[in-house]
Amino acid sequence: MANEGASGSEAGPAEIREEAVPGVFRLEDQVGFLLRIATQRSAALFAARAVDGLTPPQFATLAKLRETGLCSQNRLGRLVYLDAATIKGVVDRLRARNLVQVTDDPTDRRRRALALTERGRQVTEAAIEVARSVGEATLAPLTADERRQVFALLRKMAELP
């Protein structure tokens, strides 16, 4: 490994380095770095195909609202793992574009709830198709078994069911 640079045979970031030297820090061997690269790749694919200029957090918000139906802004933020300030900004931008509307919460008259507008529903449906193709492109280098393993491991790391 000491001659790695001299030989020109350095492994790429996607390669697992079983020969990593204890105590030596290599950025390419760090899980956070590799996850960020994979996330950036997926985000770039999404941006290149984005429907109506949606960002990944905006898409996540619309997709989860489609899934849940009427939902408080606070709960929606928790469901898409965005803090209160961030979900507020995302919702404000979606409302300004007439993708989300605020309505009365039928279960609690003191609360307001968010819902997709008809335009929001249409944009979300189109964006879901793009997200599916982005997911396929992101996972393209993997076999079906590797894909299942990646999802299982990422869910475990995120402590999701």
Side-chain angles (χ1 to χ4, degrees):
M1 181 149 173
N3 292 331
E4 221 175 50
S7 70
S9 64
E10 289 188 36
E15 193 172 317
I16 297 173
R17 300 176 197 280
E18 294 180 26
E19 72 279 2
V21 177
V24 173
F25 184 91
R26 290 181 50 99
L27 186 60
E28 294 80 8
D29 295 332
Q30 305 309 306
V31 66
F33 181 73
L34 294 171
L35 287 170
R36 185 172 58 81
I37 291 170
T39 299
Q40 286 176 328
R41 180 172 181 257
S42 181
L45 290 168
F46 186 84
R49 303 172 187 179
V51 172
D52 205 9
L54 292 177
T55 64
Q58 290 171 347
F59 169 68
T61 299
L62 292 173
K64 187 53 78 170
L65 194 52
R66 175 185 172 269
E67 182 183 325
T68 64
L70 282 177
C71 189
S72 74
Q73 183 171 296
N74 189 316
R75 180 169 181 260
L76 185 58
R78 287 192 313 270
L79 291 172
V80 295
Y81 294 85
L82 295 175
D83 62 54
T86 304
I87 191 66
K88 181 187 181 321
V90 168
V91 168
D92 287 349
R93 286 184 286 283
L94 293 173
R95 285 183 65 200
R97 295 168 58 197
N98 192 34
L99 300 175
V100 170
Q101 64 187 350
V102 178
T103 186
D104 292 327
D105 186 328
T107 62
D108 186 342
R109 291 180 24 195
R110 298 167 296 173
R111 287 192 348 200
R112 306 284 281 156
L114 300 172
L116 291 174
T117 63
E118 183 53 39
R119 180 169 181 269
R121 195 172 327 286
Q122 293 169 356
V123 167
T124 302
E125 294 299 329
I128 285 171
E129 292 308 311
V130 168
R132 284 187 175 120
S133 70
V134 166
E136 282 299 314
T138 301
L139 297 170
L142 306 178
T143 66
D145 189 49
E146 289 170 332
R147 291 176 184 205
R148 283 188 290 279
Q149 290 175 29
V150 164
F151 277 106
L153 292 171
L154 287 172
R155 283 188 181 104
K156 186 174 184 177
M157 288 173 63
E159 298 179 355
L160 295 175

